[in-house]
């Protein structure tokens, strides 16, 4: 029912900034919480952060707190991940996910590559 497409990945130098986007299908987008995850080579997929279905709350992994910000634009069916002060350790494929209100993550995008070089 929900299709997710990420975009905006690329190559960035250490300390730089980048914004990745996730566009979702469905007229009930506003009823879904949206999350960001990432997976580095040889590593398990890890949680990055989320924004509630109402848009009134966010949560971030300790590794990105103070550097990453999640926002959503329900009119555009889009969620954003703003990444600042990027580190080499942030290099990964970034995935967005969706879950109805506060339910489990049921839908996933194809991912977008973010590479940070020193």
């Amino acid at each position: 029912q929900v299709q997710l497409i990420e975009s905006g990945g690329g190559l960035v130098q250490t300390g730089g900034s980048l914004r990745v986007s996730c566009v979702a299908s469905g007229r009930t987008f506003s009823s879904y919480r949206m999350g960001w995850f990432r997976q580095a080579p040889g590593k398990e997929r890890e949680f990055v952060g989320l924004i509630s279905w109402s848009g009134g709350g966010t949560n971030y992994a300790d590794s990105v707190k103070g550097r990453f910000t999640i926002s959503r634009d329900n009119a555009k069916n889009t969620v954003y991940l703003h990444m600042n002060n990027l580190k080499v350790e942030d290099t990964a494929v970034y995935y967005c996910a969706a879950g109805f209100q506060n339910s489990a993550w049921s839908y996933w995008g194809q991912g977008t590559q973010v590479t940070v070089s020193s």
Side-chain angles (χ1 to χ4, degrees):
Q1 293 180 331
V2 179
Q3 307 292 324
L4 306 175
I5 302 177
E6 302 96 334
S7 64
L11 177 63
V12 188
Q13 291 185 346
T14 298
S17 299
L18 193 68
R19 185 185 75 172
V20 293
S21 304
C22 175
V23 179
S25 66
R27 57 184 178 274
T28 59
F29 172 76
S30 62
S31 297
Y32 289 79
R33 67 172 179 166
M34 302 297 298
W36 284 98
F37 296 77
R38 66 186 183 186
Q39 187 167 24
K43 302 292 185 179
E44 295 183 353
R45 184 173 298 183
E46 66 174 334
F47 171 77
V48 174
L50 66 83
I51 185 166
S52 67
W53 66 272
S54 66
T58 55
N59 189 30
Y60 302 95
D62 288 340
S63 59
V64 305
K65 284 181 179 177
R67 299 190 298 118
F68 290 10
T69 302
I70 299 174
S71 62
R72 66 190 297 164
D73 186 339
N74 290 341
K76 297 181 178 179
N77 281 10
T78 302
V79 62
Y80 304 96
L81 178 65
H82 307 259
M83 299 177 286
N84 299 311
N85 191 25
L86 284 162
K87 308 175 185 296
V88 173
E89 306 88 80
D90 295 319
T91 295
V93 176
Y94 283 72
Y95 299 89
C96 65
F100 182 68
Q101 295 186 1
N102 296 318
S103 66
W105 305 108
S106 301
Y107 307 96
W108 295 83
Q110 85 288 347
T112 185
Q113 177 71 48
V114 173
T115 303
V116 184
S117 62
S118 60

